[in-house]
Amino acid sequence: MSNEQCIMAYAKKRYGLWPGSAIRLLLIIHCTLFVTHYSPAQSVLQSGTWYKIGVLGTGVYQLDYKTLTSLNPAFGTTDPRRFKLYGNGGAPLPQANAAPRPVDLLENAIQVTGEADGRFDADDVLRFYAQGSQTITRDPATGRFQHQLNPYSDTTFYFLTIGPNPGQRIATRQPGPASGLPAISAFDDYACYERDTTNLIGSGRDWLGDYYGTYPQQFVPFQLPGRVAGAPVYTTLSAVGASLSPSSFIVSLNNTVLVNAAFDAISSYRYAPRGSARTVTQQTILPTTPDELRLTLTYDRQGGSGGVAYLNYVAVQTRREIRQYNVPKLVRGGRGSYTARQATNELMIWDVSNPISPVQQAYTLTGTQATWNVADTASFYLHTLRNVGTPTAVYGIQNQNLRAEPTPNLLIITPGAWREQAERLAQFRRTNDKL
């Protein structure tokens, strides 16, 4: 997502409107951009015919013949080996201008079925791996996961074109030899619940979710079949309490407390903090059944009155067996000989360690066990064709070439209704500040 797209998405999320509407917003951005690597003179979007593809989550997505040819009949008559997909994933740009980031859209490896004959037929499809707006990283010191939602947009966009030469494709890697590799049949899984709906101060990038006031108890279910017996379960609670007296927030399962966060009393002073924020992780051992962990989240006013709380997120991390589940699953692991249980020949495994260039991992199926071997750290996306998603939006866009524009000292973004006033401000800054 480009800088200007992030700004536009923020305006929509923060104010509920797109630029161009009669919104009461004038956003002025002082831009001093630093990049740490070569900046191309032209954007890839500056020529050709382009289509913008929106997705709402991480996974494998598919565009079929009907969808593509309805956009442009040329998709049905052009050599599909020239289909090209570009995109940089759904993570927000680094907050620091000096931090490295792509200076243009990157080409992604894709899979186009039946393209070897040079035709895109009615039963052919284009598949690609997309990174959603939620990113998950692992702390190498503790081994625990953490996630981040893109505060500017819940949609990730990719860009499709027909190029003058062949595009990048997903390669296939053979199962490989197992000698000397450790056996791996389980993985650390991470599941979280977070909804960004509330901003306590009406500013900034810190958003909260569910409100615990009138109804101080709510439930959050996690479907986690295949949990490994005896494996610890790490439950993380992040929440904000707003009460003039001490209060607390409890996450429990079947009356067993998993994690407890204590909130300090806040002051009624006008400029005091609006809430007491806490993020707490605790470890427990839970039974492996049932598959669903239905967590009870309770805000305890501890005898006070008028207190409320806001859930930031609740997350669970635990060990699970590697299986062909009913839903896609991302398996992160190191070098080893992998085994997936309950497997069928429908199982598809993509190594997405480099999400820009996935690799299809071949495996050996013996009965209901799929095995494959890798000599390095990898992240495998296990899925079937029944789990392949459909983009939420696909539409044509005009050419643009922001890379060729000089970097501005001042960028003013305004709705059309305020264009005249914005031009006056811009002229004032040109005259008085020599911008």
Side-chain angles (χ1 to χ4, degrees):
M1 178 178 291
S2 63
N3 285 306
E4 69 275 15
Q5 289 167 340
C6 287
I7 295 168
M8 300 303 181
Y10 174 78
K12 179 177 184 295
K13 179 173 182 178
R14 177 69 181 87
Y15 296 94
L17 295 168
W18 283 111
S21 304
I23 59 176
R24 297 178 180 176
L25 168 68
L26 179 62
L27 185 61
I28 302 176
I29 313 291
H30 288 272
C31 295
T32 307
L33 300 179
F34 301 92
V35 292
T36 58
H37 42 82
Y38 173 71
S39 176
Q42 306 291 330
S43 167
V44 296
L45 299 176
Q46 59 95 18
S47 63
T49 303
W50 290 86
Y51 302 91
K52 192 173 182 178
I53 304 166
V55 300
L56 288 177
T58 296
V60 175
Y61 289 84
Q62 178 172 293
L63 294 167
D64 59 18
Y65 176 89
K66 181 179 179 180
T67 300
L68 292 180
T69 55
S70 65
L71 290 172
N72 187 344
F75 280 107
T77 58
T78 303
D79 187 340
R81 288 170 289 195
R82 291 165 48 198
F83 295 175
K84 293 187 174 186
L85 186 79
Y86 290 77
N88 297 345
L93 291 172
Q95 194 71 9
N97 283 341
R101 85 283 304 281
V103 294
D104 203 356
L105 294 171
L106 303 176
E107 185 177 359
N108 289 223
I110 60 176
Q111 183 180 81
V112 182
T113 64
E115 68 174 358
D117 59 6
R119 300 192 309 271
F120 191 61
D121 299 317
D123 57 348
D124 292 337
V125 297
L126 182 158
R127 299 191 187 105
F128 63 98
Y129 182 77
Q131 302 172 79
S133 60
Q134 180 191 88
T135 55
I136 298 176
T137 56
R138 188 170 194 166
D139 186 329
T142 65
R144 295 217 295 267
F145 293 107
Q146 56 189 3
H147 73 278
Q148 178 189 19
L149 298 185
N150 189 323
Y152 306 109
S153 176
D154 60 2
T155 306
T156 301
F157 292 102
Y158 289 84
F159 300 85
L160 178 66
T161 190
I162 299 174
N165 46 46
Q168 297 185 18
R169 292 297 181 262
I170 294 175
T172 298
R173 181 172 59 212
Q174 296 306 310
S179 59
L181 296 175
I184 299 177
S185 59
F187 69 106
D188 290 319
D189 195 20
Y190 180 84
C192 61
Y193 171 81
E194 178 176 1
R195 297 172 64 241
D196 286 350
T197 58
T198 303
N199 187 299
L200 292 183
I201 63 173
S203 180
R205 295 177 293 121
D206 292 331
W207 290 77
L208 302 171
D210 297 346
Y211 171 74
Y212 287 72
T214 306
Y215 302 101
Q217 186 176 87
Q218 300 179 39
F219 303 93
V220 176
F222 289 110
Q223 294 292 335
L224 297 172
R227 297 193 302 277
V228 175
V233 176
Y234 298 96
T235 306
T236 300
L237 168 68
S238 182
V240 171
S243 175
L244 297 179
S245 59
S247 57
S248 64
F249 205 116
I250 300 169
V251 178
S252 61
L253 177 68
N254 301 328
N255 298 318
T256 299
V257 175
L258 303 182
V259 61
N260 187 352
F263 301 126
D264 295 331
I266 65 171
S267 170
S268 59
Y269 177 59
R270 180 178 180 182
Y271 298 109
R274 299 287 297 275
S276 174
R278 293 289 184 271
T279 299
V280 182
T281 300
Q282 293 180 0
Q283 174 184 329
T284 51
I285 303 295
L286 298 177
T288 58
T289 56
D291 291 345
E292 181 182 84
L293 295 182
R294 191 170 187 263
L295 304 185
T296 303
L297 281 63
T298 307
Y299 175 57
D300 184 359
R301 296 186 176 91
Q302 297 184 353
S305 61
V308 299
Y310 299 87
L311 177 67
N312 185 9
Y313 67 87
V314 60
V316 174
Q317 177 177 331
T318 190
R319 298 279 295 171
R320 295 176 63 187
E321 293 181 355
I322 301 177
R323 297 181 186 173
Q324 180 181 321
Y325 291 103
N326 293 329
V327 296
K329 185 48 58 182
L330 187 62
V331 175
R332 306 170 183 86
R335 60 184 294 273
S337 179
Y338 285 77
T339 298
R341 297 181 174 87
Q342 300 179 2
T344 69
N345 56 10
E346 295 181 344
L347 177 64
M348 300 187 70
I349 304 173
W350 286 13
D351 182 351
V352 294
S353 305
N354 178 5
I356 299 296
S357 184
V359 175
Q360 180 160 317
Q361 175 65 60
Y363 57 85
T364 301
L365 184 63
T366 305
T368 58
Q369 289 193 351
T371 58
W372 68 98
N373 310 288
V374 290
D376 202 353
T377 300
S379 294
F380 296 106
Y381 187 75
L382 277 62
H383 63 288
T384 69
L385 293 182
R386 289 175 293 177
N387 307 136
V388 172
T390 301
T392 58
V394 184
Y395 52 92
I397 60 171
Q398 295 180 348
N399 294 114
Q400 55 181 280
N401 193 14
L402 297 182
R403 295 302 314 156
E405 298 292 330
T407 301
N409 296 115
L410 175 67
L411 178 65
I412 301 176
I413 300 176
T414 178
W418 286 14
R419 178 65 180 267
E420 182 179 350
Q421 290 80 2
E423 291 287 359
R424 289 176 56 201
L425 176 60
Q427 186 58 46
F428 175 84
R429 299 303 298 273
R430 294 186 193 105
T431 303
N432 290 271
D433 300 320
K434 310 302 179 185
L435 296 182

